[in-house]
Amino acid sequence: MASIEMKNIVKQYGDGYPAVNDVSLDIADGEFMILVGPSGCGKSTLLRMIVGLEDITSGDMVIGGKRVNDLAPRERNLSMVFQNYALYPHMTVYENIAFPLRLSKTPDDEVRRRVTEASDVLELKEHLERKPANLSGGQRQRVAMGRAIVRQAEAFLFDEPLSNLDAKLRGQMRTEIARLQRRLGITTVYVTHDQTEAMTLGDRVCVLRKGSIQQVASPRELYEQPVNLFVAGFIGSPPMNFLPATLEGDRLQTPFGPVVLDERRAAAVRGRGELLLVGIRPEYFEDATLVDEAKRPLGSVFRARVDVTEWLGDSQYAYIPYEAPEAVTTQLRALSRELDSEELRTQAIVSIDATSRIREGREAEFWLDSRKVHVFDPQTGENLTRDAEAGARLTQMATEDRVEQVQDAQASGQTVSGATTGGGQGSGAHRAGAV
Amino acid sequence: MRYLFRPPGTDGAALLALPWHEPLEEWDPALLLEVPQRGISRHVVRFVAEQGRVFALKEIAEPLARHEYALLGEFEEEGLPSVSVLGICIDRPGGQDAILVTRYLEYSMSYRYLFSRPSARQSVDQLMDTLVVLLVRLHLAGIFWGDCSLSNTLFRLDAGALAAHLVDAETAERHPQLSRGQRHYDLELARERVGAELLDLQAGELLPDGVDPIDVADSLPVRYDRLWDEVTHEEVFRADEQRYRVAERLQRLNDLGFDVGEVELVTSDEGARLRVETRVSAPGQHRRELFRLTGLEVQENQARRLLNDLRTYRAYLEQRSGAPVSEAVAGARWLADVYQPVIDAIPPELAGRLAPAEVFHEVLEHRWFLSEQAGRDVGTTAAARSYVRTVLPATPEELTTPSVIANRS
Ligand SMILES: Nc1ncnc2c1ncn2[C@@H]1O[C@H](COP(=O)(O)OP(=O)(O)OP(=O)(O)O)[C@@H](O)[C@H]1O
Ligand SMILES: Nc1ncnc2c1ncn2[C@@H]1O[C@H](COP(=O)(O)OP(=O)(O)OP(=O)(O)O)[C@@H](O)[C@H]1O
Ligand SMILES: [Mg+2]
Ligand SMILES: [Mg+2]
């Protein structure tokens, strides 16, 4: 097991276009790192450079302290999980897991030890002597994981592994991968374009755009303290609302009335131009009649006409149209194109309680939690109100959780012994929110 | 439901009546054809016969089906040895996966058949070399296979030699050029899969004793590196060696089964530097020539063999008549007087075990053998008669190609 450090990695394909442009990223030993971004952002290219499938144009790829730029894939001892999930009908489940070791002529007792440990972790113990024909879909996938485990690779790599599975199996496998990674405490890099997958699986998420890192942080930090418009728009579903705003004193004038900023944020925004964008997540709204008195003064209240409501049983969304100047709509259109998302229309998506009686086509009163809004520079996309310290704290918390979970797993003897995680891991190896 | 298929679409039209709305696994067995020696597969794969032709159907996620359909189409156009794709069926009810339809590669043999017969005429070495030729060819074309295995390769006899065809392209990726890392990774995957498939045969007691799965698997990278180097290396030699060195290299590449595209020779005072660009397509010169003259579609080595016989026959005709005989006339006469009688001599119950052109090749071999024994040329007719009586019945019945079985019933 090993850390993976990337220093100023550049990849130019034949046409000279930098598919990956000056990426520096440290992945700690035992960490689960997600590479995410829209199609063409370079996430697969980056993963392939880790594996050794693409030559690195410049920069250093360091795995376990060793520069691997010039090593063949095999010499890097990494495991692309699910690359081979064929099941061989005449071999037992045991042998289906063991064969990579057989091929490398590992002694029998060592094979037995590793397969037994892997099958414990994967809960395949009862099936070891059976033929694979009758395994369920999930069990088959676990056999494939078992193969990866017994190799004792430095790290696991996944490239959109679930994209071709049906929805049910995908959900199962997502849980399975997360659980396994925790138990083994093995360094993992996972590529996906699905932000939901990114937010639920990783310790940290690296958001890429056009070959460059935008932000590396825990899911919560990305969600609460995005560095820019791109990250803010990419993370979260339904996405963050962006409204035009102008600053007057300590308040933002928006299509949904004035929003008061606290002193820190007002100061950060002051003098940053006439026209601003205020970003408000759907969850920061509520039906004003359902907000308790204690909370009410922490936000602002406005009236608006609801275009459509969407009731999902346990939640409800209201769509509120608003006016925006041309400059803003152009900017937002470009952003939604880049994010492969549906065309952003100038209407806010607002989450309201499932019990709310707000109706379509009527005016209603909404409450908006002004503590949590962010203000962006529409030109550069920069988040002017990002609280870096608060963000770092969120990522630090995630790191501590991870270390604790790995230790728990080790204490209960669930890890695979070849995969020892050095004692001091986690301390200092993480730079929360490091970009 | 939607069907996408490539012209000529007549094959496709014949299939439209099948129950595409049902899961492939639940299709009425009466519609299906058993192919006992097929490879291991993760997807549901079934075979059907329509109007005398056999097709393979694979149920697979739509993006993968589209991907495989597009790639197989490209491969065929470029003359890469792969199965030929007919089309896909998508938008099936109830959110079912797509179905990819390929034309059954007639007279193909799976590794399970080839390996599990100790008396097989093909050695393990031959099999591995054939696989490596296919992999090198794909790599030269910038194709990363991602799933090179024995299950995903079909073997066909070509005048006694073996030829390998790709059957499963769902993981394949096309690049302008492959990096060294990509080639080696692909090879590493192949090594592991071949090893596992042989271990599996061993576990099923289907592998002859003398074959060691690990040794065979480990031989793949060695064979590959050797061939890759032979095909791609640049040579430097003295100016006076130039002529024979170039000829030697081109001959060697042909022997290895590669056609040469462009040859680049840079000369300087120190000598000459030779770089040879290999065509990615399988050689097809003889195949095309034979087709032009006779309309027969056969494989390359078979075509070479048949053309040789055709030329001998033409010389005989010219000698007999004392006048030149045109190529076209010779082709037609050979087909009617020599080739067809041999094929017609195959009794119906033995038809389909070997491709007709392969039978013809074997008859020529047999004729040589009989003539040696007799001390005189016994002639093709007598050789054919003896061959179908003594040699052909020994070819295993399970080799019978599905279309012949389908047309019998
Ligand atoms: N072999 C190649 N030659 C030239 N350009 C390439 C090659 N592979 C990828 N690219 C380009 O590099 C960029 C990054 O591609 P990459 O596949 O890494 O993106 P991605 O984020 O994984 O996208 P996706 O989610 O669509 O797979 C894209 O612009 C792509 O077109
Ligand atoms: N066109 C064809 N001609 C002859 N045999 C075929 C053809 N298509 C498929 N087969 C047989 O069916 C088997 C399974 O097909 P295929 O490899 O496409 O399935 P798969 O489920 O994608 O396999 P894998 O598990 O390797 O991904 C092959 O190994 C081969 O023996
Ligand atoms: Mg296959
Ligand atoms: Mg396949």
Side-chain angles (χ1 to χ4, degrees):
Chain A
M1 295 239 302
S3 62
I4 301 174
E5 296 155 66
M6 294 170 234
K7 296 181 192 142
N8 308 101
I9 295 282
V10 174
K11 174 68 194 183
Q12 280 179 326
Y13 283 112
D15 56 5
Y17 176 79
V20 169
N21 200 0
D22 199 21
V23 161
S24 294
L25 177 65
D26 287 356
I27 304 170
D29 190 354
E31 188 174 22
F32 197 144
M33 176 68 80
I34 306 277
L35 305 179
V36 74
S39 181
C41 70
K43 52 195 184 296
S44 294
T45 300
L46 195 55
L47 190 80
R48 292 202 294 260
M49 284 191 285
I50 301 175
V51 187
L53 288 172
E54 297 290 355
D55 296 333
I56 296 166
T57 308
S58 66
D60 296 313
M61 182 69 68
V62 178
I63 299 178
K66 191 163 93 184
R67 186 174 183 275
V68 298
N69 288 46
D70 303 316
L71 293 189
R74 188 178 176 185
E75 297 163 331
R76 298 186 190 194
N77 191 24
L78 304 170
S79 194
M80 283 281 256
V81 187
F82 298 129
Q83 272 282 359
N84 183 4
Y85 61 89
L87 290 176
Y88 299 99
H90 300 299
M91 300 201 283
T92 57
V93 169
Y94 180 100
E95 286 301 330
N96 263 287
I97 296 174
F99 78 79
L101 301 178
R102 301 280 184 219
L103 292 175
S104 62
K105 302 201 170 155
T106 310
D108 277 350
D109 49 348
E110 178 69 13
V111 173
R112 191 167 325 108
R113 190 178 67 76
R114 292 201 210 168
V115 174
T116 310
E117 284 175 345
S119 60
D120 280 354
V121 176
L122 293 165
E123 290 167 8
L124 283 171
K125 219 173 173 174
E126 280 82 73
H127 306 283
L128 283 180
E129 294 314 317
R130 291 169 53 187
K131 296 286 164 61
N134 301 319
L135 296 181
S136 71
Q139 287 167 335
R140 284 158 180 260
Q141 304 277 345
R142 277 189 266 148
V143 172
M145 289 197 225
R147 276 174 202 165
I149 296 172
V150 297
R151 273 174 232 265
Q152 301 192 339
E154 302 285 359
F156 280 175
L157 307 175
F158 295 85
D159 192 354
E160 307 242 9
L162 309 182
S163 52
N164 289 309
L165 299 181
D166 63 50
K168 180 164 155 268
L169 197 52
R170 197 182 311 147
Q172 265 177 16
M173 288 319 294
R174 196 183 290 161
T175 319
E176 196 72 45
I177 291 170
R179 191 183 67 100
L180 185 69
Q181 199 275 342
R182 280 287 175 269
R183 283 203 178 180
L184 298 177
I186 186 166
T187 315
T188 299
V189 187
Y190 188 107
V191 165
T192 180
H193 68 275
D194 178 345
Q195 58 100 9
T196 314
E197 214 161 282
M199 297 299 275
T200 50
L201 274 176
D203 295 311
R204 283 195 300 157
V205 177
C206 170
V207 183
L208 289 155
R209 173 197 200 181
K210 294 181 183 158
S212 301
I213 293 186
Q214 303 295 298
Q215 189 169 8
V216 186
S218 68
R220 268 196 71 189
E221 179 175 356
L222 289 182
Y223 191 80
E224 293 187 15
Q225 301 291 342
V227 291
N228 59 24
L229 209 54
F230 180 87
V231 175
F234 187 70
I235 300 292
S237 171
M240 186 183 263
N241 299 294
F242 298 111
L243 308 174
T246 50
L247 188 69
E248 283 171 20
D250 64 351
R251 40 185 71 205
L252 291 168
Q253 294 301 338
T254 79
F256 295 161
V259 175
V260 180
L261 294 180
D262 58 41
E263 195 32 51
R264 186 189 66 80
R265 284 181 298 165
V269 172
R270 211 162 281 134
R272 297 303 289 259
E274 278 289 284
L275 183 61
L276 300 161
L277 276 178
V278 54
I280 315 169
R281 295 212 178 269
E283 306 79 87
Y284 301 166
F285 292 91
E286 189 47 272
D287 175 347
T289 61
L290 300 176
V291 178
D292 47 78
E293 284 311 315
K295 239 172 116 184
R296 230 173 142 90
L298 301 172
S300 59
V301 172
F302 66 95
R303 290 188 69 78
R305 202 183 65 82
V306 174
D307 189 20
V308 176
T309 60
E310 193 178 21
W311 186 77
L312 301 170
D314 57 344
S315 58
Q316 184 169 203
Y317 293 104
Y319 292 77
I320 316 176
Y322 60 86
E323 297 289 321
E326 180 72 23
V328 167
T329 52
T330 317
Q331 176 83 14
L332 293 182
R333 203 167 301 129
L335 181 67
S336 60
R337 236 189 332 266
E338 205 187 336
L339 295 173
D340 305 324
S341 63
E342 288 165 42
E343 179 85 14
L344 277 172
R345 276 170 297 167
T346 44
Q347 62 174 2
I349 307 178
V350 160
S351 160
I352 50 181
D353 196 90
T355 60
S356 164
R357 305 289 310 272
I358 287 179
R359 288 291 163 264
E360 293 182 0
R362 306 257 180 83
E363 280 228 335
E365 200 161 72
F366 293 91
W367 178 80
L368 185 174
D369 189 344
S370 52
R371 294 169 300 176
K372 292 185 172 174
V373 305
H374 281 294
V375 184
F376 299 88
D377 179 331
Q379 246 60 56
T380 63
E382 184 193 351
N383 180 355
L384 302 171
T385 51
R386 173 173 139 82
D387 184 344
E389 265 174 44
R393 268 197 306 278
L394 291 172
T395 294
Q396 184 56 38
M397 270 159 51
T399 304
E400 285 160 10
D401 284 353
R402 175 177 70 78
V403 170
E404 199 175 302
Q405 283 176 346
V406 172
Q407 280 166 354
D408 280 356
Q410 282 176 336
S412 60
Q414 281 169 325
T415 53
V416 168
S417 53
T420 44
T421 46
Q425 62 120 3
S427 53
H430 302 265
R431 268 170 265 132
V435 174
Chain B
M1 284 188 295
R2 269 202 294 160
Y3 308 90
L4 295 176
F5 48 86
R6 272 172 221 283
T10 41
D11 288 349
L15 295 173
L16 290 178
L18 291 169
W20 298 100
H21 55 280
E22 288 174 16
L24 200 45
E25 208 157 21
E26 292 168 16
W27 283 24
D28 181 356
L31 295 170
L32 306 175
L33 210 66
E34 276 292 319
V35 174
Q37 296 293 348
R38 44 167 291 195
I40 300 170
S41 65
R42 288 165 279 202
H43 303 99
V44 180
V45 175
R46 296 287 183 269
F47 303 89
V48 297
E50 268 317 312
Q51 299 180 352
R53 289 164 191 265
V54 180
F55 301 90
L57 277 52
K58 162 155 92 169
E59 203 162 62
I60 181 174
E62 178 177 336
L64 292 177
R66 285 181 177 277
H67 175 74
E68 192 163 4
Y69 172 59
L71 274 184
L72 287 176
E74 282 178 27
F75 293 176
E76 191 173 359
E77 224 155 79
E78 291 163 48
L80 288 164
S82 65
V83 296
S84 155
V85 69
L86 178 74
I88 51 178
C89 173
I90 52 179
D91 294 343
R92 296 169 68 219
Q96 292 178 71
D97 279 345
I99 293 183
L100 174 87
V101 185
T102 54
R103 296 185 175 84
Y104 188 86
L105 189 73
E106 296 292 343
Y107 299 102
S108 59
M109 300 175 286
S110 81
Y111 76 101
R112 300 181 140 224
Y113 170 76
L114 286 166
F115 268 107
S116 54
R117 298 181 50 83
S119 62
R121 283 172 283 190
Q122 288 70 40
S123 68
V124 173
D125 280 337
Q126 254 184 310
L127 214 57
M128 288 299 120
D129 282 338
T130 313
L131 184 63
V132 160
V133 170
L134 176 60
L135 194 59
V136 164
R137 202 184 291 293
L138 293 171
H139 285 179
L140 286 171
I143 297 156
F144 175 85
W145 191 347
D147 200 3
C148 172
S149 66
L150 290 167
S151 286
N152 288 340
T153 309
L154 292 170
F155 297 91
R156 275 209 295 197
L157 281 174
D158 181 8
L162 281 175
H165 295 251
L166 170 151
V167 56
D168 185 346
E170 116 214 3
T171 49
E173 293 167 19
R174 183 116 223 195
H175 299 270
Q177 208 182 342
L178 292 189
S179 68
R180 209 182 137 76
Q182 280 167 326
R183 292 193 296 107
H184 280 165
Y185 191 65
D186 211 15
L187 183 61
E188 180 57 19
L189 293 175
R191 187 186 68 88
E192 199 179 286
R193 271 154 225 220
V194 168
E197 287 166 321
L198 296 183
L199 284 171
D200 185 55
L201 286 184
Q202 198 172 53
E205 298 180 352
L206 293 168
L207 197 68
D209 280 344
V211 182
D212 179 63
I214 301 175
D215 289 348
V216 175
D218 284 344
S219 80
L220 266 185
V222 183
R223 291 171 203 267
Y224 174 96
D225 285 341
R226 206 187 298 139
L227 182 60
W228 181 264
D229 184 58
E230 284 233 49
V231 173
T232 59
H233 78 275
E234 279 193 14
E235 266 177 285
V236 182
F237 38 75
R238 293 200 315 273
D240 59 337
E241 297 173 319
Q242 197 168 303
R243 268 188 50 196
Y244 85 92
R245 289 293 289 269
V246 174
E248 209 175 64
R249 178 76 189 280
L250 299 189
Q251 183 57 48
R252 178 77 189 130
L253 284 171
N254 283 331
D255 293 347
L256 291 169
F258 290 87
D259 264 354
V260 171
E262 200 167 61
V263 176
E264 185 185 86
L265 192 66
V266 184
T267 56
S268 67
D269 293 344
E270 284 97 73
R273 210 184 69 232
L274 174 69
R275 219 180 51 80
V276 180
E277 183 217 28
T278 316
R279 287 228 178 91
V280 296
S281 59
Q285 176 200 338
H286 299 99
R287 224 167 53 206
R288 284 187 293 272
E289 170 89 355
L290 184 75
F291 181 71
R292 186 172 65 82
L293 293 175
T294 65
L296 290 177
E297 285 188 75
V298 308
Q299 298 188 76
E300 183 64 8
N301 291 335
Q302 292 166 345
R304 190 181 306 148
R305 197 77 210 266
L306 268 52
L307 279 172
N308 275 338
D309 197 60
L310 193 160
R311 288 195 194 105
T312 316
Y313 190 64
R314 183 180 175 193
Y316 159 77
L317 290 177
E318 289 183 333
Q319 191 205 9
R320 207 180 54 177
S321 67
V325 174
S326 78
E327 262 191 337
V329 170
R333 294 280 308 267
W334 174 83
L335 190 63
D337 301 345
V338 182
Y339 183 78
Q340 203 56 49
V342 169
I343 304 312
D344 290 343
I346 304 172
E349 67 277 12
L350 296 181
R353 297 200 184 178
L354 291 177
E358 193 66 19
V359 168
F360 192 83
H361 157 78
E362 295 209 341
V363 166
L364 292 183
E365 297 280 286
H366 191 62
R367 170 179 164 182
W368 184 85
F369 170 76
L370 292 181
S371 305
E372 271 263 301
Q373 278 189 333
R376 64 173 173 89
D377 187 357
V378 300
T380 304
T381 316
R385 237 182 277 124
S386 157
Y387 173 83
V388 298
R389 210 177 48 241
T390 61
V391 184
L392 192 56
T395 12
E397 188 178 353
E398 64 255 46
L399 265 189
T400 312
T401 202
S403 70
V404 170
I405 298 177
N407 289 340
R408 251 181 221 158
S409 37

